[in-house]
Amino acid sequence: MMPSQSRSCLRWFTTTMHLVQRTNGLFKRTETLSQGSCDFRPRILIDVSKIDMTTTVLGFKISMPIMVAPTAMQKMAHPDGEYATARAASAAGTIMTLSSWATSSVEEVASTGPGIRFFQLYVYKNRNVVEQLVRRAERAGFKAIALTVDTPRLGRRESDIKNRFTLPPNLTLKNFEGLDLGKMDEAADSGLASYVAGQIDRTLSWKDVQWLQTITKLPILVKGVLTGEDARIAVQAGAAGIIVSNHGARQLDYVPATISALEEVVKATQGRIPVFLDGGVRRGTDVFKALALGASGIFIGRPVVFSLAAEGEAGVRKVLQMLRDEFELTMALSGCRSLKEISRNHITTEWDTPRDSPRPLARL
């Protein structure tokens, strides 16, 4: 990548990292965690000379509760694509989630070396394709399935329509090569929308979560939950965990930001399965907010893709280290020495009822 391209990508990355929300009339899409959504209540005079950020996710120990979300077609951002992201996540001691629509296959990502990896799954109309893909992920050493459940149809992505989005001719959806499903044809509006309409199963239901359990022993995370009602059903359906996600605010206008939906989902599960947050995290302080509201960890997507575009593997390593350092500092300044010490008492939110105010002194 030429230096001028790198600088351009870096400006794009910096601008987006500080984007809070985009609002125009009745159109509203909120993906990032609103700056005013949470305020901290730090505790003082606590020995924070040692901070432990390690945690366990589905039985796998990782260095921090910050993981890599599934983001599609990463070779559009950088020639190394998912290879670079996989190596960076492994070096950081954390989990990478590979998208079904990756431009590198499950086998290719596994070949980059050791690492804990999850596989994000879209359910195709042809269930034989789904079964093959899940079994390939198992053989390649992936440790869990993140089932995306909020995309029976693709949301109206107006930028994609305007740009007539499609994959460049030199790239394919590598997991589907040889199945006549790897190419994305050009369309009058969005090639991706046409692809989804033709291939993704709109009949997907809770029965299919149970069906997946019959074809794999891998734990299944349900990705795309925003309500307590669906969280309770996910528990009943045997999900191993829930990922609170609004799909980067690209599916349905007026859904809440992930941080706003998180606590309702956590309360509904009653601690029976872990809840994770995917989307909107831009700073280490955001990680702290999510954990204080009950998340067991968070996934980041856009920061990874933008840093990948700016500097390849080195960029992804850098953004993971930045978030780690910011999160560690936030823990220290809040008086928390381990993740288990982060509690709801460490934050107030815009939806809290006012705390009791001190009673006025009685007149003498």
Side-chain angles (χ1 to χ4, degrees):
M1 183 177 289
M2 299 296 291
S4 60
Q5 289 178 292
S6 180
R7 284 194 295 271
S8 177
C9 289
L10 193 57
R11 282 196 298 271
W12 179 34
F13 166 67
T14 303
T15 300
T16 306
M17 284 285 280
H18 291 91
L19 177 67
V20 175
Q21 67 179 30
R22 184 177 66 186
T23 305
N24 181 14
L26 291 177
F27 176 85
K28 179 182 176 184
R29 293 187 175 185
T30 303
E31 197 258 345
T32 51
L33 276 58
S34 169
Q35 188 175 11
S37 61
C38 296
D39 290 325
F40 292 145
R41 303 182 67 245
R43 301 302 304 276
I44 59 172
L45 294 177
I46 295 171
D47 179 357
V48 291
S49 56
K50 294 182 180 179
I51 302 291
D52 182 10
M53 290 182 288
T54 60
T55 189
T56 300
V57 172
L58 300 184
F60 300 100
K61 190 172 183 179
I62 56 177
S63 67
M64 57 184 175
I66 303 168
M67 298 165 281
V68 176
T71 50
M73 310 169 200
Q74 291 184 16
K75 286 187 179 180
M76 290 186 71
H78 189 275
D80 291 342
E82 293 85 1
Y83 291 91
T85 303
R87 289 191 293 260
S90 180
T94 193
I95 293 167
M96 175 205 180
T97 313
L98 182 71
S99 170
S100 283
W101 294 338
T103 41
S104 306
S105 68
V106 290
E107 293 84 3
E108 289 171 334
V109 168
S111 74
T112 62
I116 305 168
R117 298 176 185 120
F118 294 170
F119 181 69
Q120 177 270 331
L121 180 68
Y122 286 109
V123 175
Y124 279 55
K125 294 175 181 178
N126 185 339
R127 295 305 176 91
N128 289 329
V129 169
V130 178
E131 289 193 44
Q132 289 180 40
L133 195 52
V134 168
R135 293 196 174 105
R136 285 171 55 197
E138 284 182 319
R139 289 195 297 269
F142 284 70
K143 303 303 183 185
I145 300 294
L147 174 66
T148 295
V149 296
D150 61 354
T151 318
R153 295 176 61 176
L154 201 67
R156 184 174 175 80
R157 303 181 183 182
E158 294 177 345
S159 294
D160 287 356
I161 295 169
K162 178 182 178 181
N163 298 323
R164 293 188 175 183
F165 175 84
T166 190
L167 268 175
N170 63 311
L171 296 177
T172 62
L173 304 179
K174 290 288 283 188
N175 285 314
F176 302 98
E177 264 192 344
L179 299 171
D180 295 325
L181 297 171
K183 285 289 184 181
M184 189 178 297
D185 297 328
E186 292 186 6
D189 44 23
S190 163
L192 179 60
S194 297
Y195 183 86
V196 170
Q199 302 300 335
I200 300 303
D201 192 347
R202 297 184 184 182
T203 71
L204 188 69
S205 71
W206 288 106
K207 292 180 181 179
D208 294 303
V209 177
Q210 296 169 325
W211 168 74
L212 276 175
Q213 293 167 359
T214 69
I215 67 169
T216 182
K217 294 181 179 179
L218 294 179
I220 297 167
L221 302 170
V222 179
K223 178 179 180 291
V225 176
L226 290 172
T227 66
E229 295 93 322
D230 283 336
R232 284 186 284 270
I233 298 173
V235 172
Q236 294 166 4
I242 285 171
I243 301 176
V244 173
S245 169
N246 62 13
H247 215 119
R250 291 169 297 157
Q251 275 299 98
L252 179 63
D253 294 353
Y254 297 99
V255 296
T258 53
I259 197 73
S260 300
L262 175 61
E263 193 167 27
E264 176 185 333
V265 172
V266 169
K267 288 179 178 178
T269 63
Q270 297 180 335
R272 288 173 287 183
I273 57 176
V275 176
F276 306 95
L277 180 142
D278 178 356
V281 171
R282 298 293 181 267
R283 305 297 297 265
T285 47
D286 295 332
V287 181
F288 189 93
K289 294 174 190 176
L291 268 62
L293 288 168
S296 296
I298 65 93
F299 291 87
I300 54 169
R302 280 186 173 99
V304 167
V305 174
F306 297 149
S307 58
L308 177 68
E311 296 184 44
E313 180 182 340
V316 180
R317 287 184 182 228
K318 185 180 296 184
V319 81
L320 288 171
Q321 187 63 48
M322 287 169 58
L323 288 169
R324 179 188 177 89
D325 291 346
E326 291 173 2
F327 177 53
E328 182 181 32
L329 181 60
T330 305
M331 287 182 64
L333 295 179
S334 298
C336 298
R337 295 160 294 192
S338 66
L339 303 189
K340 66 181 180 181
E341 290 186 352
I342 301 174
S343 74
R344 187 62 168 82
N345 289 329
H346 284 99
I347 62 169
T348 59
T349 69
E350 58 189 12
W351 55 87
D352 282 340
T353 54
R355 291 179 177 271
D356 292 337
S357 56
R359 292 181 180 179
L361 293 174
R363 290 187 177 183
L364 297 177

